[in-house]
Amino acid sequence: MRIVKAVFLSLLFVLFINSVHAEGVASREEAVNYYNEGVRAQKKGDFEKAFKEYQMSLMLSTEYNKFIMNNKAVMLMQQGNLGQAAALFQEILKQDPNYMPAKVNLGLIYDTQPDKCKALEYWADLFNIERLKPKDSVLEEEKKAPQQ
């Protein structure tokens, strides 16, 4: 009797896991669809619809959170709310310091400011300035005296 019960419970467990997995895949696919609809709406300038689509995507899966946050910050930029957009980009970079779109967008915001030096921090990553720096100091070569 114990064997039958164990087999029955194992079968239920397998069916439950498969059901949960199938729902998870469906939810991710729906999340992607909502995200893509949000992107399309944003490109058309329909920010209200884009926001709603992004929210639906987040309800189904948080997997696309930083992408959605980035796109929302871009909407803020497009509406002229540069301070709010910058704060959102910085929040993204706290979560993922290597997320290049947020760095590029912050660079663009700071490039519009009178003191453009802050933008350099973000452009440095974009252009990989560290890789381009010389490995040693530069020595000026000997000069020839002008001929008379």
Side-chain angles (χ1 to χ4, degrees):
M1 181 69 172
R2 285 185 171 166
I3 294 175
V4 171
K5 191 175 183 180
V7 169
F8 177 72
L9 289 175
S10 296
L11 182 60
L12 278 176
F13 179 74
V14 168
L15 290 173
F16 175 75
I17 292 298
N18 285 338
S19 172
V20 168
H21 176 70
E23 285 181 28
V25 170
S27 293
R28 274 201 309 263
E29 287 177 13
E30 285 180 85
V32 169
N33 290 338
Y34 281 114
Y35 173 79
N36 290 337
E37 282 298 315
V39 170
R40 284 192 276 278
Q42 185 172 351
K43 285 181 178 179
K44 290 179 183 175
D46 188 350
F47 298 147
E48 186 176 327
K49 181 179 180 185
F51 181 79
K52 288 177 184 175
E53 298 294 334
Y54 291 146
Q55 289 306 109
M56 289 298 295
S57 179
L58 283 175
M59 285 194 299
L60 294 168
S61 173
T62 58
E63 187 175 344
Y64 306 102
N65 187 40
K66 73 179 172 186
F67 309 120
I68 290 171
M69 286 174 65
N70 182 73
N71 290 357
K72 285 181 177 180
V74 169
M75 282 192 281
L76 289 168
M77 282 177 67
Q78 292 168 327
Q79 294 171 331
N81 300 322
L82 299 182
Q84 289 177 314
L88 196 49
F89 290 132
Q90 289 168 343
E91 187 178 327
I92 295 167
L93 291 174
K94 284 180 187 172
Q95 294 173 16
D96 182 356
N98 298 315
Y99 187 58
M100 197 57 67
K103 288 182 179 186
V104 170
N105 291 328
L106 263 176
L108 289 171
I109 288 174
Y110 292 134
D111 199 45
T112 65
Q113 307 303 313
D115 179 14
K116 297 181 185 309
C117 290
K118 200 165 184 180
L120 292 177
E121 174 184 342
Y122 300 100
W123 298 135
D125 275 348
L126 179 63
F127 295 111
N128 198 356
I129 288 176
E130 203 55 39
R131 180 181 54 81
L132 299 174
K133 284 192 322 191
K135 304 296 181 227
D136 203 357
S137 27
V138 177
L139 176 68
E140 283 291 335
E141 295 297 321
E142 293 179 24
K143 307 286 186 217
K144 292 186 179 185
Q147 292 181 358
Q148 296 181 357

